[in-house]
Amino acid sequence: MRPLTVDSLNPALIKVEYAVRGELAIKAEEYRVRLEQGDANLPFDKIINSNIGNPQQRNLDQPPITFLRQIAALMEYPALAQLAPNAFPKDVVARAKELSDEIGSIGAYSHSQGVPLIRNSVAKYIQERDGYPANPNHIFLTAGASAGVTLFINLLIAPPTSGILIPIPQYPLYTATLAQHNGVGLPYHLDETQGWSTSPSSVEAAVEKAHKDGIVPKALVIINPGNPTGGVLDESTQESLVRICEKHSLVLLADEVYQTNIHKPDTHKFRSFKKIVRQLQSPVPLVSFHSISKGVIGECGRRGGYFECTNISDDVLAMIYKMVSVGLCPPVQGQVAVDTMLRPPKEGDESYPLWKKETDTIHEALRSRLKTMAERLNSLPGMSCVDSPGAMYLFPRIYLSQKAQEAAHAAGKKPDAFYALQLLDETGICVIPGSGFGQNEGEWHYRLTCLCPGVDEYVGKLEAFHRRFVEKYGTDSAA
Amino acid sequence: MRPLTVDSLNPALIKVEYAVRGELAIKAEEYRVRLEQGDANLPFDKIINSNIGNPQQRNLDQPPITFLRQIAALMEYPALAQLAPNAFPKDVVARAKELSDEIGSIGAYSHSQGVPLIRNSVAKYIQERDGYPANPNHIFLTAGASAGVTLFINLLIAPPTSGILIPIPQYPLYTATLAQHNGVGLPYHLDETQGWSTSPSSVEAAVEKAHKDGIVPKALVIINPGNPTGGVLDESTQESLVRICEKHSLVLLADEVYQTNIHKPDTHKFRSFKKIVRQLQSPVPLVSFHSISKGVIGECGRRGGYFECTNISDDVLAMIYKMVSVGLCPPVQGQVAVDTMLRPPKEGDESYPLWKKETDTIHEALRSRLKTMAERLNSLPGMSCVDSPGAMYLFPRIYLSQKAQEAAHAAGKKPDAFYALQLLDETGICVIPGSGFGQNEGEWHYRLTCLCPGVDEYVGKLEAFHRRFVEKYGTDSAA
């Protein structure tokens, strides 16, 4: 028989690239295993995974929110309410009972769209956030935001050639999923010189280019707050983007998973696209995605999230329901965590003081780390770094010299990957090269998270490495 | 702007059908809501969801395995080991500690392929089951078996026309996913007169037909024990099927999620295809799927499972890794449950007696219910029912009269859907018509689970309904 070869597989999948878990992350995992096995020949004693927004990962160790975990434990083993009556605050016991009464066993499949009571919680959260009503029947709970995004790209991409407008730089889930489903990514470039702002005219230009190239643009992806940039949109830009969707009959896919990660609340506010669309009384079909993986919850491993559909007809909703039903249901503990995230304890509840302290501490840690990191990276020779007001990443630009670029070329690597690989080899810090997200031709960046505690030691290592690199290769004259 | 319409969506998705959560299940959910809201006008007081293998669902109420839930609760909230030291057996505390030491927080993303320690547990289980080694690097943990199956269909279907051999009747995940990815289902028919056995010659015939039709057959799906049939393959059939895969260069996709659901162990044994392939020293590329959703664990809502790749090259494994990495990781609590399922307590462990009692009770309940149900349904006029040795379903044949078929036609329904809808309307029991799984032309069946407790009352309702139906419409002369 013929063996199974890569050549015989679906060629669309060969084009898929996902840098966040690509070459750098794979090499970091190999180093982690070597360290675990006692290898003493590496120039570092731990791996710092700054490649991915994974707050609770080892060596980052953001603590989970106790309220969430207590409810989850009671859902797993309801007898604990009797076996350990003093281990749980009263409001936790009450919430777990309310959820159990509705859900029954968390070991059972739920409704494919998500537990109805939890969809009600999501609708109430949205209504309070925006001041406009939300319909629980237009909300779908998911296994993280990625599952929802993948579903919509699969749904919207129709032959022969349709495309979706994506920001550059972008979170590579979008390009990966577009490649998987034979869709075309239609890039519009964010403006680093203006704090990674989104220019409506660059979106318009991308639409026009698509039409010229014979590609039907189906949707506009906006990531707000931005990933990898941390940019936060202002209201008038949001309004212009909605108008562009109206004009060109685009579905607006709003990736709003960092909506609670706002680090400069005096100058930057998160506004949902749901609110903007309603304010404008716009007919634009909107899908907005949220997740339990980010914010201050950081429960990535649990896989939970939701999307809300606005201005989407019942027959399209029925198609979406049919597709999610094939996957049976999102993980029920992920659904429970969505409820817990959006219905936190209130003042006066027994859990409130601890919940307040835990969430305030994490917000402040993210804020202050981002600020320190941006300042210190920005002051390095051959590097500039936008001080991001949102999300949990920085995307510094590195000005690589001709000599560095030639060395990279000789090593068979893109220049920013060449830089990031050396950073990993020398410090154990894993970042992702900008080429994994997209960037302007001839520019180089990397993305790193602000999740690492001990920011002094961490940034110290980044600085020392960068200075060594610049010493060895020089810097670009543009820097 | 143009509104978003179904016509503008990916046409492949319009063809997707998934009866297990289709018309019948949607109507059952509407009835459930009406009952919950106090509607007293329905002729039943509860919904029995026999449409889906969901053991822990309300009104079915198969209890979870305590050992699994205790470990899960400790992973959620490790402080419980101190807060409630008497609530957990010693072996549970030790296992949770071992897993926590390896995993860290269950709120963090894990390795995309699954936690290495848990993949080791899977490999040891497979090795003990089969007597042949298993490589943890060839094992991928998943969000249930469905996620793995979907991945492989996406991977194997390449343009212009490739197909996958599927049994008829089949679990409709296969046809749904094939439709989604523009693949062609190549049906081979199981033989109801021989206890739903698989005839290698019918598979050969399906391969030949595919070649004649210009379709490249890429893989052979075998569901063993069968769904919806409950059939269990004998060893010589398994060997013949492996030889067919060799001859025609087919990947063997072995859906083995019911491997521990064997109800007649004296006459029917489960043998993994991994063991058969190794015994034959066959080069056939094999992917075998397992799940925490079935067996006696029944933790569907948690979403956990794995697949093992055999005779699959490193570059294809790398492609698979890349694809799963885009989805980040399977739910970590699902991964933990895979470990708990495959490493149960041993004799002498504090948890063992309870675990043994719980699992024995569930095995016996499934066995005795299937037997009773098959006997009683088989003795009805106009119905015949194979007494399935495996899985958790029966797939009785109903002999519908010309009059019934005409009434169905007038109502715009397939005859078996017409029957199942009336069953639901009159009794609150939700089953799935055979047309959702595929059946021979002009034959009619339905699938129901053996998960409902109170088998006397349950079967009593099925019998009474069937007798009323036959009284009204008569029965087919072939019955």
Side-chain angles (χ1 to χ4, degrees):
Chain A
M1 68 174 292
R2 292 188 306 275
L4 181 67
T5 61
V6 168
D7 296 345
S8 69
L9 301 179
N10 181 350
L13 304 195
I14 294 171
K15 295 174 293 171
V16 169
E17 283 183 33
Y18 186 64
V20 172
R21 292 234 161 166
E23 179 184 16
L24 270 291
I26 290 169
K27 194 169 188 191
E29 173 66 11
E30 287 165 6
Y31 281 143
R32 191 194 64 76
V33 170
R34 280 172 60 183
L35 288 170
E36 200 179 76
Q37 292 167 345
D39 187 333
N41 295 321
L42 294 168
F44 44 81
D45 59 5
K46 64 181 175 200
I47 293 295
I48 302 291
N49 281 103
S50 290
N51 55 305
I52 187 164
N54 189 9
Q56 296 182 29
Q57 190 167 18
R58 188 157 288 164
N59 298 331
L60 305 180
D61 298 325
Q62 178 177 304
I65 304 299
T66 304
F67 178 68
L68 186 150
R69 292 301 191 88
Q70 288 175 329
I71 290 170
L74 278 172
M75 301 294 292
E76 287 291 353
Y77 190 34
L80 283 172
Q82 282 75 51
L83 290 170
N86 300 322
F88 300 96
K90 275 190 221 61
D91 55 329
V92 163
V93 174
R95 177 69 63 85
K97 185 173 182 312
E98 182 194 354
L99 289 165
S100 283
D101 286 350
E102 164 88 4
I103 296 171
S105 168
I106 55 143
Y109 292 126
S110 73
H111 192 294
S112 293
Q113 194 166 347
V115 173
L117 176 113
I118 299 178
R119 284 188 277 126
N120 282 335
S121 298
V122 175
K124 276 182 205 151
Y125 163 79
I126 293 171
Q127 183 153 349
E128 278 169 30
R129 184 193 65 190
D130 298 338
Y132 291 93
N135 184 339
N137 295 327
H138 299 171
I139 291 162
F140 290 72
L141 301 182
T142 60
S146 300
V149 167
T150 304
L151 172 70
F152 273 91
I153 289 181
N154 190 9
L155 207 61
L156 293 170
I157 294 298
T161 41
S162 41
I164 290 184
L165 294 142
I166 54 172
I168 293 296
Q170 52 104 34
Y171 177 55
L173 169 67
Y174 293 96
T175 38
T177 312
L178 279 163
Q180 183 182 358
H181 296 289
N182 289 303
V184 181
L186 306 169
Y188 63 92
H189 286 256
L190 306 180
D191 187 352
E192 185 170 10
T193 66
Q194 303 296 315
W196 292 116
S197 67
T198 300
S199 143
S201 62
S202 72
V203 178
E204 284 270 17
V207 174
E208 275 163 39
K209 181 171 186 309
H211 285 305
K212 264 189 213 140
D213 295 345
I215 296 158
V216 182
K218 306 288 288 256
L220 169 63
V221 170
I222 302 281
I223 312 175
N224 180 43
N227 175 5
T229 66
V232 177
L233 295 178
D234 60 55
E235 190 164 3
S236 75
T237 302
Q238 290 185 276
E239 290 178 353
S240 302
L241 293 168
V242 169
R243 294 306 187 197
I244 290 172
C245 290
E246 282 180 13
K247 182 174 161 194
H248 298 287
S249 289
L250 299 170
V251 177
L252 179 52
L253 301 175
D255 180 338
E256 301 180 326
V257 302
Y258 298 98
Q259 61 188 265
T260 63
N261 294 115
I262 299 290
H263 311 295
K264 301 181 178 182
D266 295 340
T267 51
H268 293 78
K269 288 198 191 330
F270 170 77
R271 281 167 222 87
S272 75
F273 270 104
K274 170 74 179 296
K275 184 175 181 172
I276 304 291
V277 163
R278 286 293 186 238
Q279 272 175 196
L280 297 176
Q281 299 183 292
S282 166
V284 161
L286 164 70
V287 189
S288 58
F289 302 91
H290 196 13
S291 163
I292 59 170
S293 297
K294 313 300 172 186
V296 293
I297 303 291
E299 291 278 342
C300 314
R302 194 173 295 273
R303 313 309 293 122
Y306 72 82
F307 59 81
E308 185 199 14
C309 299
T310 303
N311 294 330
I312 293 196
S313 66
D314 284 347
D315 53 349
V316 173
L317 289 171
M319 272 281 284
I320 296 168
Y321 176 79
K322 182 181 76 173
M323 294 311 298
V324 299
S325 79
V326 179
L328 295 161
C329 73
V332 179
Q333 277 286 21
Q335 299 185 49
V336 168
V338 169
D339 190 85
T340 315
M341 173 175 79
L342 302 184
R343 279 203 293 163
K346 292 197 188 79
E347 251 184 293
D349 292 347
E350 193 178 338
S351 292
Y352 182 79
L354 179 61
W355 174 85
K356 181 85 170 72
K357 187 175 158 225
E358 289 176 340
T359 54
D360 283 353
T361 303
I362 297 172
H363 272 302
E364 174 53 24
L366 299 179
R367 189 200 63 73
S368 72
R369 273 188 227 136
L370 265 181
K371 183 166 181 287
T372 304
M373 288 164 61
E375 276 171 12
R376 287 175 57 174
L377 295 181
N378 209 12
S379 67
L380 284 171
M383 192 180 296
S384 66
C385 183
V386 171
D387 177 15
S388 303
M392 43 180 68
Y393 310 101
L394 291 174
F395 197 61
R397 179 168 174 190
I398 41 180
Y399 296 80
L400 300 177
S401 66
Q402 196 58 36
K403 186 177 168 192
Q405 293 183 49
E406 281 160 13
H409 186 73
K413 301 291 174 193
K414 288 180 182 160
D416 50 3
F418 179 74
Y419 179 98
L421 282 162
Q422 290 194 29
L423 174 66
L424 175 62
D425 290 344
E426 295 185 23
T427 66
I429 298 172
C430 182
V431 301
I432 300 296
S435 44
F437 303 90
Q439 53 201 348
N440 287 327
E441 182 77 25
E443 292 184 1
W444 312 106
H445 299 79
Y446 65 87
R447 188 189 79 166
L448 78 172
T449 74
C450 66
L451 295 168
C452 185
V455 67
D456 260 352
E457 183 196 344
Y458 171 52
V459 182
K461 285 183 184 175
L462 292 170
E463 288 169 332
F465 166 78
H466 184 77
R467 288 183 196 282
R468 284 197 301 277
F469 191 93
V470 166
E471 197 169 312
K472 184 165 177 188
Y473 294 106
T475 176
D476 180 19
S477 55
Chain B
M1 67 175 291
R2 292 188 305 277
L4 181 67
T5 61
V6 168
D7 296 345
S8 68
L9 302 178
N10 180 350
L13 304 193
I14 294 171
K15 292 175 296 172
V16 169
E17 282 183 32
Y18 186 65
V20 172
R21 292 232 162 169
E23 180 184 16
L24 271 291
I26 290 169
K27 193 168 187 190
E29 173 66 11
E30 287 165 6
Y31 280 144
R32 191 195 64 75
V33 171
R34 280 172 60 184
L35 288 171
E36 201 179 77
Q37 292 168 344
D39 187 333
N41 293 322
L42 294 169
F44 44 81
D45 59 5
K46 64 182 175 199
I47 294 295
I48 303 291
N49 281 102
S50 289
N51 54 307
I52 187 165
N54 189 8
Q56 296 182 29
Q57 189 167 18
R58 188 157 287 165
N59 297 332
L60 306 179
D61 297 324
Q62 179 177 304
I65 304 299
T66 304
F67 178 68
L68 185 149
R69 292 301 192 88
Q70 288 175 329
I71 290 170
L74 279 173
M75 301 293 292
E76 287 292 352
Y77 190 34
L80 283 171
Q82 281 74 51
L83 290 170
N86 300 321
F88 300 96
K90 274 190 223 61
D91 55 329
V92 163
V93 174
R95 177 69 63 83
K97 185 173 181 313
E98 181 194 356
L99 289 165
S100 283
D101 286 350
E102 163 88 4
I103 296 171
S105 167
I106 55 144
Y109 292 126
S110 73
H111 192 294
S112 293
Q113 194 168 348
V115 173
L117 176 111
I118 300 178
R119 284 188 276 126
N120 282 335
S121 297
V122 175
K124 277 182 204 151
Y125 162 80
I126 293 171
Q127 184 155 347
E128 278 168 31
R129 183 192 66 190
D130 297 338
Y132 291 92
N135 183 339
N137 295 327
H138 300 172
I139 291 162
F140 290 73
L141 300 182
T142 59
S146 301
V149 167
T150 304
L151 171 70
F152 274 91
I153 289 181
N154 190 10
L155 207 61
L156 292 169
I157 294 299
T161 41
S162 40
I164 290 184
L165 294 142
I166 55 172
I168 293 296
Q170 52 104 33
Y171 177 54
L173 169 68
Y174 293 97
T175 38
T177 313
L178 279 163
Q180 184 182 358
H181 295 290
N182 289 303
V184 181
L186 306 168
Y188 63 92
H189 285 257
L190 306 180
D191 187 351
E192 185 170 10
T193 66
Q194 303 296 314
W196 291 116
S197 67
T198 301
S199 144
S201 62
S202 71
V203 178
E204 284 270 18
V207 174
E208 276 164 37
K209 181 170 186 310
H211 286 305
K212 264 188 214 141
D213 295 346
I215 296 158
V216 182
K218 306 288 287 258
L220 169 62
V221 170
I222 302 282
I223 312 175
N224 179 44
N227 175 6
T229 65
V232 177
L233 294 178
D234 61 55
E235 191 163 2
S236 74
T237 302
Q238 290 185 275
E239 289 178 355
S240 303
L241 294 169
V242 170
R243 294 305 187 199
I244 290 172
C245 289
E246 283 180 14
K247 183 174 160 194
H248 298 287
S249 288
L250 299 171
V251 177
L252 178 52
L253 300 176
D255 179 337
E256 301 180 327
V257 302
Y258 297 98
Q259 60 188 265
T260 63
N261 293 114
I262 299 291
H263 310 295
K264 300 181 178 182
D266 295 340
T267 51
H268 293 77
K269 287 198 194 329
F270 170 76
R271 282 168 220 86
S272 74
F273 269 103
K274 170 75 179 296
K275 183 174 182 174
I276 303 292
V277 162
R278 287 293 185 238
Q279 273 176 195
L280 297 176
Q281 298 183 292
S282 166
V284 161
L286 164 69
V287 189
S288 59
F289 302 91
H290 195 15
S291 164
I292 59 170
S293 298
K294 314 298 173 188
V296 292
I297 303 291
E299 291 279 341
C300 315
R302 194 174 295 272
R303 312 311 293 124
Y306 72 83
F307 59 82
E308 185 199 14
C309 299
T310 303
N311 294 329
I312 293 194
S313 65
D314 284 348
D315 54 351
V316 173
L317 289 171
M319 272 282 284
I320 296 168
Y321 176 80
K322 181 180 76 173
M323 293 311 298
V324 299
S325 79
V326 178
L328 295 161
C329 74
V332 179
Q333 276 287 20
Q335 299 185 50
V336 168
V338 169
D339 190 85
T340 314
M341 173 175 78
L342 302 183
R343 279 204 294 163
K346 291 197 188 80
E347 251 183 294
D349 292 346
E350 193 179 336
S351 292
Y352 182 79
L354 180 62
W355 175 85
K356 181 86 170 72
K357 186 174 157 224
E358 289 176 342
T359 54
D360 283 353
T361 303
I362 297 172
H363 272 302
E364 174 54 23
L366 299 179
R367 189 200 62 73
S368 71
R369 271 186 229 138
L370 266 181
K371 183 165 181 288
T372 303
M373 287 164 61
E375 278 171 11
R376 287 175 57 174
L377 294 181
N378 210 12
S379 67
L380 285 171
M383 192 180 294
S384 66
C385 183
V386 171
D387 177 16
S388 303
M392 44 180 67
Y393 310 101
L394 291 173
F395 196 61
R397 179 169 173 189
I398 41 178
Y399 297 80
L400 299 177
S401 65
Q402 196 59 35
K403 187 176 166 192
Q405 293 183 50
E406 281 161 14
H409 186 73
K413 301 291 173 192
K414 288 180 182 161
D416 49 4
F418 179 74
Y419 179 98
L421 282 163
Q422 289 195 27
L423 174 65
L424 175 62
D425 291 343
E426 295 185 22
T427 66
I429 297 172
C430 183
V431 302
I432 300 297
S435 43
F437 303 90
Q439 52 201 348
N440 288 327
E441 182 78 24
E443 292 184 2
W444 312 106
H445 299 78
Y446 66 86
R447 187 189 82 166
L448 78 172
T449 74
C450 66
L451 295 168
C452 185
V455 68
D456 261 352
E457 184 196 343
Y458 172 52
V459 183
K461 285 183 185 175
L462 292 170
E463 288 168 332
F465 167 78
H466 184 76
R467 288 184 196 283
R468 284 196 303 276
F469 191 93
V470 167
E471 198 168 312
K472 184 165 177 189
Y473 293 107
T475 177
D476 179 18
S477 55

